[in-house]
Amino acid sequence: MTLPTLFSCRKYLDIVPDNVATIDYAFRLRSTAERYLFTCYNYMPALGNFDGNPGNASGDEYWLPVVNNSNAWQIARGFQNIVNSYMNYWQGNNGGKDLFEGIRQCNIFLDNVGRVPDMTETERNRWIAEARFLKAYYHFWLFQMYGPIPVIRTNIPVGASAEEVYPPREPVDTCVNYIVEQLDLAAKDLPEKIENEVSELGRVTKAIALTIKAQVLVVAASPLFNGNPDHAGFKGPDGTLLFANSQSQEKWVRAAKACKEAITLCESLGHKLYTFNPQFFQYDISDTTRVQLSIRNAVTEKWNPEVIWGNTNSLAQSIQAAATPRGLDPSKVANSATVGNIAPPLKIAEMFYSNHGVPITEDKTYDYSGRFKLRSGTRAYRYYLQEGYQTVAMHFDREPRFYADLGFDGGIWYGQGLFNDKANLFFVSSKKGQPASAQNQSSYSVTGYWPKKLVNFNNVIGDGTTYTIQSYPWPILRLANLYLLYAEAQNEAEGPSADVYRYLNLIRERAGIPSVEESWTNYSRNPAKFTTKDGLREIIQRERLIEMAFEGQRYWDLRRWKKAAEEMNKPITGWDLAQEDAPAYYREKVIYNQTFTTRDYLWPIPESELLSNKKINQNPGW
């Protein structure tokens, strides 16, 4: 936010002819004003692009080949800094977009849309609501990263004094209340759902506004922002206390209420957890494959009923190539279109439950100490693992989401042109010299795992450099996310209840695992864990990390729970890719010793901003 440039003019998607005053022209007609509104959408983070989503590579959910130069991955490697900040959304460089500029454009639109002559009041009110929503959303994104921020309620007028040009940061609660106020105002005039699906899908609705409101309030109620002792006493240069010193239980109550309100509206509009319907599929597939497709397609099937908000400005295309192993089709090893270089670490593979629906460290029937022993796939596991192929014991007896979400050595990869699961299917073979092993320095998984969840099963690897990808709008919000936010908030507000279990179990049922009550009672070494608030909190957080895996949520969740210092100080490990035989390949190898300190919970404000604006100060530790 380099505020002295707030008066500058830009061309908005080339809608303004040369030598014509920008603002006057943009709001002269309905058509040009609409295009200005769509320009306001352009500041949304490009979440469907791996490098454009800070939630992807900034944390510990993926690791990359050493030659990769992703800005977000520099953060994960501990290289964030104040001079040339990575993923800089404050000023808009090094992978970040200038969200303060996006807020300014929204304010310009709000100031001028009343001048547009050829539109109805109903339409005008809807457009105003969209701009309000976007303005709130951009404030929220900045808040997630930087904590207390300047709230830009209106644009600074031309000729303003230096005192007016530089706004101070405002307290956390003020930021949150302003964001929620704008979302509430927007929700009043937004359509409940999109009627014209040909031209308007991706535009915001009332359901989106209420769901984002729920997310904002859950984040604000979480330990990072709710009475965080690490930031107690942190003040602005004028002495304003920026973090409340005490934790507020009422924030969880407010968040739970907002989540339930959003759920009620979304369900009334037909949103539901996606399940694959084989009636509309020409192949007779097993129940095992059907469950995996229900899990994968909840993300990759465009506009399925679970998606509340799909980002049409950010289609998931290149990220699918990055998630597909090169050499998945052994006859197409030379095809460089399947890059296969975004790699979940071994600890992410261990995170998923056993087939009994509890962590493998808690399942009293699971041989956790023997997880690195070798086993060969048998017919009983044929929909998960290649028959007769030797792999590691950790790949056996896991929940369906493990197999739906992850590609790994010996694992079946359904689809990609092979749809009869009663016949031969593709499987990954990634030991040294095998088709999915490293072909060069950049196109391989450094850990031996791939995020299969992100890849549409209808994609087809072709000859040469052809990879036919079924792209989909990135699902910013889906109903499972909202259910988990509600379960978390309600447990914090009132403790374990039938309502909390209900929403967790809806997700677990779709995932093909038993209920929380059944799983922990019968299989956990701690059978009463789900009956206490603390125990259920841990269960909900684990459920969320699994269900939302690879969707850019883990990084933000670990931060707001204040668990990042625990998780991101663990080493990044994978298999020994340089080995040709199974006993040597399946040795855990340290790839990188990641570090995360208290200061990393809030991103640094760029030093150049601090030199310009004396009303703000740096985040603690930077």
Side-chain angles (χ1 to χ4, degrees), residues 260-281:
K260 198 59 180 286
E261 182 184 5
I263 288 172
T264 300
L265 176 61
C266 288
E267 291 182 337
S268 75
L269 297 174
H271 289 290
K272 59 184 179 181
L273 295 182
Y274 173 90
T275 54
F276 183 75
N277 189 343
Q279 288 183 332
F280 303 103
F281 193 56

Side-chain angles (χ1 to χ4, degrees), residues 290-309:
R290 180 185 56 78
V291 171
Q292 290 188 62
L293 289 180
S294 291
I295 296 164
R296 290 176 66 182
N297 287 11
V299 172
T300 65
E301 184 175 306
K302 63 175 62 176
W303 309 122
N304 74 74
E306 186 167 339
V307 175
I308 300 169
W309 189 15

Side-chain angles (χ1 to χ4, degrees), residues 1 43 45 54 87-92 96-104 134-152 169 175 179 216 219 224-225 556 559 601-606 619:
M1 184 183 65
Y43 291 88
M87 303 303 287
N88 180 354
Y89 284 88
W90 195 289
Q91 297 170 323
K97 293 188 177 183
D98 188 344
L99 293 187
F100 280 111
E101 176 66 14
I103 292 167
R104 187 177 84 91
L134 292 169
K135 180 179 173 182
Y137 186 65
Y138 298 152
H139 275 93
F140 173 54
W141 259 87
L142 288 162
F143 173 76
Q144 274 197 117
M145 290 179 277
Y146 300 100
I149 56 170
V151 174
I152 311 301
R169 302 168 79 179
C175 295
I179 292 166
V216 170
V219 169
L224 180 61
F225 295 112
W556 304 115
R559 287 172 73 253
Y601 279 112
L602 297 179
W603 285 12
I605 297 173
N619 276 325

Side-chain angles (χ1 to χ4, degrees), residues 178-451:
Y178 178 76
I179 292 166
V180 170
E181 174 191 61
Q182 294 303 302
L183 292 171
D184 282 338
L185 289 171
K188 292 178 182 178
D189 291 310
L190 287 170
E192 289 189 338
K193 65 178 184 178
I194 296 300
E195 299 295 343
N196 187 346
E197 296 188 356
V198 175
S199 62
E200 294 192 342
L201 284 172
R203 293 179 71 170
V204 294
T205 63
K206 183 176 181 179
I208 293 170
L210 292 187
T211 306
I212 289 293
K213 173 186 171 181
Q215 184 181 19
V216 170
L217 289 174
V218 170
V219 169
S222 299
L224 180 61
F225 295 112
N226 190 2
N228 183 354
D230 293 335
H231 296 143
F234 178 44
K235 299 177 181 179
D238 63 353
T240 299
L241 189 67
L242 298 177
F243 280 79
N245 283 329
S246 59
Q247 189 267 347
S248 169
Q249 182 70 7
E250 181 58 32
K251 290 181 180 179
W252 283 116
V253 175
R254 186 185 182 194
K257 181 180 178 181
C259 289
K260 198 59 180 286
E261 182 184 5
I263 288 172
T264 300
L265 176 61
C266 288
E267 291 182 337
S268 75
L269 297 174
H271 289 290
K272 59 184 179 181
L273 295 182
Y274 173 90
T275 54
F276 183 75
N277 189 343
Q279 288 183 332
F280 303 103
F281 193 56
Q282 68 183 85
Y283 298 92
D284 180 22
I285 58 174
S286 66
D287 288 343
T288 301
T289 299
R290 180 185 56 78
V291 171
Q292 290 188 62
L293 289 180
S294 291
I295 296 164
R296 290 176 66 182
N297 287 11
V299 172
T300 65
E301 184 175 306
K302 63 175 62 176
W303 309 122
N304 74 74
E306 186 167 339
V307 175
I308 300 169
W309 189 15
N311 186 358
T312 52
N313 281 356
S314 186
L315 299 180
Q317 183 145 339
S318 62
I319 196 171
Q320 294 193 63
T324 307
R326 183 170 179 175
L328 174 61
D329 181 345
S331 69
K332 307 288 193 307
V333 173
N335 188 332
S336 60
T338 52
V339 182
N341 64 351
I342 56 176
L346 188 57
K347 68 175 178 178
I348 300 299
E350 291 200 11
M351 172 188 73
F352 289 84
Y353 294 141
S354 72
N355 57 351
H356 294 138
V358 295
I360 58 176
T361 53
E362 290 187 38
D363 190 332
K364 60 188 179 183
T365 71
Y366 194 90
D367 182 13
Y368 180 74
S369 62
R371 68 194 184 282
F372 292 164
K373 295 178 181 178
L374 298 180
R375 290 176 61 179
S376 293
T378 63
R379 184 161 179 77
Y381 295 93
R382 66 190 180 279
Y383 300 118
Y384 294 140
L385 303 166
Q386 178 68 7
E387 285 188 68
Y389 192 94
Q390 195 173 46
T391 185
V392 73
M394 194 180 80
H395 295 161
F396 288 77
D397 302 317
R398 305 299 295 277
E399 63 161 311
R401 285 179 295 195
F402 176 84
Y403 302 102
D405 286 13
L406 287 169
F408 53 85
D409 184 54
I412 297 296
W413 192 297
Y414 180 81
Q416 315 307 112
L418 299 181
F419 302 113
N420 180 4
D421 69 357
K422 308 299 191 297
N424 292 330
L425 296 172
F426 288 126
F427 71 96
V428 178
S429 52
S430 54
K431 302 180 190 73
K432 184 179 179 182
Q434 292 183 324
S437 62
Q439 303 296 317
N440 54 44
Q441 289 186 312
S442 59
S443 299
Y444 72 104
S445 164
V446 297
T447 65
Y449 290 95
W450 290 264

Side-chain angles (χ1 to χ4, degrees), residues 94-161:
N94 287 342
K97 293 188 177 183
D98 188 344
L99 293 187
F100 280 111
E101 176 66 14
I103 292 167
R104 187 177 84 91
Q105 299 304 334
C106 292
N107 279 335
I108 290 174
F109 182 87
L110 291 169
D111 288 343
N112 290 278
V113 68
R115 298 161 46 191
V116 182
D118 53 338
M119 62 187 304
T120 66
E121 282 305 302
T122 299
E123 185 173 50
R124 192 189 315 274
N125 289 338
R126 178 190 175 184
W127 289 10
I128 289 171
E130 288 182 78
R132 284 190 189 277
F133 170 88
L134 292 169
K135 180 179 173 182
Y137 186 65
Y138 298 152
H139 275 93
F140 173 54
W141 259 87
L142 288 162
F143 173 76
Q144 274 197 117
M145 290 179 277
Y146 300 100
I149 56 170
V151 174
I152 311 301
R153 295 171 178 82
T154 59
N155 280 346
I156 301 166
V158 175
S161 66

